[in-house]
Amino acid sequence: CGGSDTLESPDSGGQSTGGAVTPIEGGRLVYGLTLAPTGIDPHVDASSELGIPLTSVYDTLVYQDVDGSFVPGLAERWDIAQDGRTYTFYLRRDVKFHDDTRFDAEAVKFNLDRIANPEMRSRKARGMLGPYSHTEVVDDFTVKVYFDEPYAPILDSLSQVFLGIASPTAVQQWGAEYQLHQVGTGPFIFEEYVPNDHLTLVRNPDYDWAPSVYMHNGPAYLDEIQFRFYVDPAVRALALESGEADVMGETPPRDAARLEENSEFSVYRVAIPGQPLQFFLNTDNPPTNDPRVRQALLYATDREEIVDTIFQSYSDAAYGPLSAATLGYSDLVETLYPYDPARAATLLDEAGWIDSDGDGIRENGGKPLTLHGYLMSWGYLPEVGQLLQAQLREIGIDFQTELVAFPAAVEAAGQGLHHLAPMTFSGSDPSLLGTTYLSSNAEGGFNWSKIRDAEIDRLLTEGLAQLDPTARLNLYGAAQTRIMDLSLVLPIREYVNLNAASASVRGLRYSRQGWFPWLYDTYLDE
């Protein structure tokens, strides 16, 4: 069950500062979304944006607290078999879906089998189940979930909205139209979704099974939450200042700095675990196939200048393949490649790249040192690319960039046409490294550095199966060091979900994943 019926006031960073207050019930909250997804069924689609509203619609078998610990959700407790291949979940007996369907073991089996069904073509949830085999219903409120091999990240996966438990009745009733009529067991009921316009949730009056990550028991405080889409960054702060919206995601840093000076608003800086904003360095494509050239790129990049100039210091510089907010992050990477343009120049000299004609660009064998990168429009990548271009030119590298749509960028990087390819991935478990560094993902996957390294493969594969927490984190720590020793990636900045809200919004907190607000405890103090 949840905690007390009083909440603490958040500071501008969204953390509790003390001073218990009595929450006010009722009212409608307008929450600004920044992306209009093409689909929002969490079992099928992959956008983080869908999780912002749907975290309030679905409960999960387990919950992950902000400290990374796993606590009971729809499952009161669980046992793990000694071989790590079977998880037994003992379920709550007092839960019902929004359509009055009983939550039970059959519902769990239905959901996991739905996700695993190849016909669903799940873009994210299926991968999060790993080597899932099948689910056995032991009795009405006990299930055994079987895996073909040990899979340590499964509790992390089961705590996320992508594996939220949906009403089997509603799924069967609506079929292909289910995304427009979603039914969970959470504190809010899915009322209406008009694509590209709004999504409306209303309070679930029967909610009485809050997990301990929340701050109170019983129904939510808000009567209604309406999510609206603000795709253009330029209008987000204006919507807040005019009172059109109460909370706004991904606020531009310059606007956040202005809002933070106004007592009528609060700014929530929420670190996103996973992989930082980064450029993968193609080890197959000359000249970045030369490790000295890749190392020179790392030494020549002034990360601090980038985060200060573009992100107004709302982001921290990144130094490795995992973000600092991620489980298992190794701070050893922070010492490996300090900003040192002189060292970068020496490495390029050693690699045979010399500016022999004095035009400011190095050559080798008559060929200029020109690198190519494909940039997307999100994440301030055009601005990052421009500043990085200037920094690299200081040591004689001509970095040529091309702004393309996301599908074209993915295709180009998959084919290895790039020297530098930017990307970021969110996720709270370090197993995310497998997506971008396993040899099996070098062809057709997101291994855009095109590395095929037996040691990295061993460390990441063993990490997936290792159930001992200490031994597991040691494996991922070694993997991070190996990745940076091979200079496979150029980290730029820690990704931050920079949210702004009216000061009347109280009790707003975000999950361990960083993107997803816990709106159950939120209320309006007006």
Side-chain angles (χ1 to χ4, degrees), residues 150-153 461-473 475-476:
Y151 185 59
T461 302
E462 290 183 11
L464 273 179
Q466 178 57 255
L467 299 181
D468 178 79
T470 301
R472 185 167 188 256
L473 296 188
L475 289 167
Y476 284 113

Side-chain angles (χ1 to χ4, degrees), residues 187-266:
F188 287 90
I189 298 170
F190 189 104
E191 182 176 74
E192 180 184 43
Y193 174 46
V194 179
N196 301 310
D197 190 84
H198 70 273
L199 189 158
T200 301
L201 309 181
V202 296
R203 175 167 51 186
N204 177 8
D206 299 321
Y207 194 71
D208 196 30
W209 43 84
S212 62
V213 299
Y214 293 143
M215 305 295 288
H216 80 284
N217 296 307
Y221 297 126
L222 294 166
D223 286 333
E224 180 180 320
I225 308 170
Q226 186 176 90
F227 297 88
R228 299 177 186 169
F229 299 100
Y230 296 89
V231 178
D232 182 358
V235 305
R236 294 172 191 166
L238 296 176
L240 274 178
E241 290 170 313
S242 68
E244 180 181 318
D246 301 299
V247 182
M248 187 61 64
E250 295 193 73
T251 307
R254 292 187 184 277
D255 290 339
R258 187 182 77 253
L259 292 170
E260 202 164 27
E261 295 177 352
N262 189 333
S263 62
E264 295 182 1
F265 301 98
S266 297

Side-chain angles (χ1 to χ4, degrees), residues 81-92:
Q82 190 169 2
D83 65 1
R85 298 184 182 187
T86 306
Y87 286 67
T88 303
F89 293 94
Y90 304 91
L91 309 177
R92 295 188 66 117

Side-chain angles (χ1 to χ4, degrees), residues 193 366 453 474:
Y193 174 46
D453 182 74
N474 287 338

Side-chain angles (χ1 to χ4, degrees), residues 354-375:
I354 308 295
D355 181 14
S356 57
D357 59 10
D359 68 349
I361 301 300
R362 295 170 180 264
E363 311 93 31
N364 189 342
K367 293 183 178 180
L369 182 47
T370 301
L371 305 180
H372 297 281
Y374 296 89
L375 305 183

Side-chain angles (χ1 to χ4, degrees), residues 162-344:
F162 301 99
L163 271 62
I165 304 299
S167 165
T169 303
V171 171
Q172 292 169 333
Q173 175 184 352
W174 294 106
E177 296 296 311
Y178 176 70
Q179 73 163 351
L180 301 174
H181 306 276
Q182 300 187 52
V183 177
T185 64
F188 287 90
I189 298 170
F190 189 104
E191 182 176 74
E192 180 184 43
Y193 174 46
V194 179
N196 301 310
D197 190 84
H198 70 273
L199 189 158
T200 301
L201 309 181
V202 296
R203 175 167 51 186
N204 177 8
D206 299 321
Y207 194 71
D208 196 30
W209 43 84
S212 62
V213 299
Y214 293 143
M215 305 295 288
H216 80 284
N217 296 307
Y221 297 126
L222 294 166
D223 286 333
E224 180 180 320
I225 308 170
Q226 186 176 90
F227 297 88
R228 299 177 186 169
F229 299 100
Y230 296 89
V231 178
D232 182 358
V235 305
R236 294 172 191 166
L238 296 176
L240 274 178
E241 290 170 313
S242 68
E244 180 181 318
D246 301 299
V247 182
M248 187 61 64
E250 295 193 73
T251 307
R254 292 187 184 277
D255 290 339
R258 187 182 77 253
L259 292 170
E260 202 164 27
E261 295 177 352
N262 189 333
S263 62
E264 295 182 1
F265 301 98
S266 297
V267 172
Y268 295 73
R269 172 180 163 171
V270 187
I272 301 295
Q275 296 187 20
L277 182 64
Q278 61 199 337
F279 286 85
F280 292 100
L281 307 180
N282 190 345
T283 61
D284 278 351
N285 194 5
T288 50
N289 64 334
D290 187 333
R292 293 169 296 185
V293 173
R294 300 197 302 272
Q295 291 169 9
L297 292 172
L298 285 156
Y299 283 117
T301 301
D302 188 346
R303 302 173 179 87
E304 295 293 344
E305 181 186 30
I306 293 174
V307 297
D308 289 346
T309 303
I310 299 173
F311 302 103
Q312 305 289 293
S313 299
Y314 280 110
S315 294
D316 291 327
Y319 295 94
L322 284 180
S323 298
T326 314
L327 174 71
Y329 170 75
S330 172
D331 59 7
L332 294 178
V333 298
E334 297 173 13
T335 65
L336 297 180
Y337 294 96
Y339 175 54
D340 190 345
R343 174 64 176 149

Side-chain angles (χ1 to χ4, degrees), residues 375-440:
L375 305 183
M376 303 77 125
S377 60
W378 51 263
Y380 298 90
L381 277 171
E383 293 86 349
V384 171
Q386 186 176 20
L387 195 49
L388 182 59
Q389 190 177 53
Q391 292 179 357
L392 297 183
R393 193 172 185 86
E394 289 291 322
I395 61 163
I397 297 176
D398 179 23
F399 179 37
Q400 296 292 324
T401 64
E402 182 178 348
L403 186 64
V404 297
F406 182 74
V410 171
E411 182 178 359
Q415 294 177 5
L417 303 179
H418 65 289
H419 294 107
L420 291 85
M423 193 58 180
T424 183
F425 295 90
S426 59
S428 44
D429 191 87
S431 59
L432 185 67
L433 289 173
T435 303
T436 49
Y437 296 103
L438 282 174
S439 297
S440 57

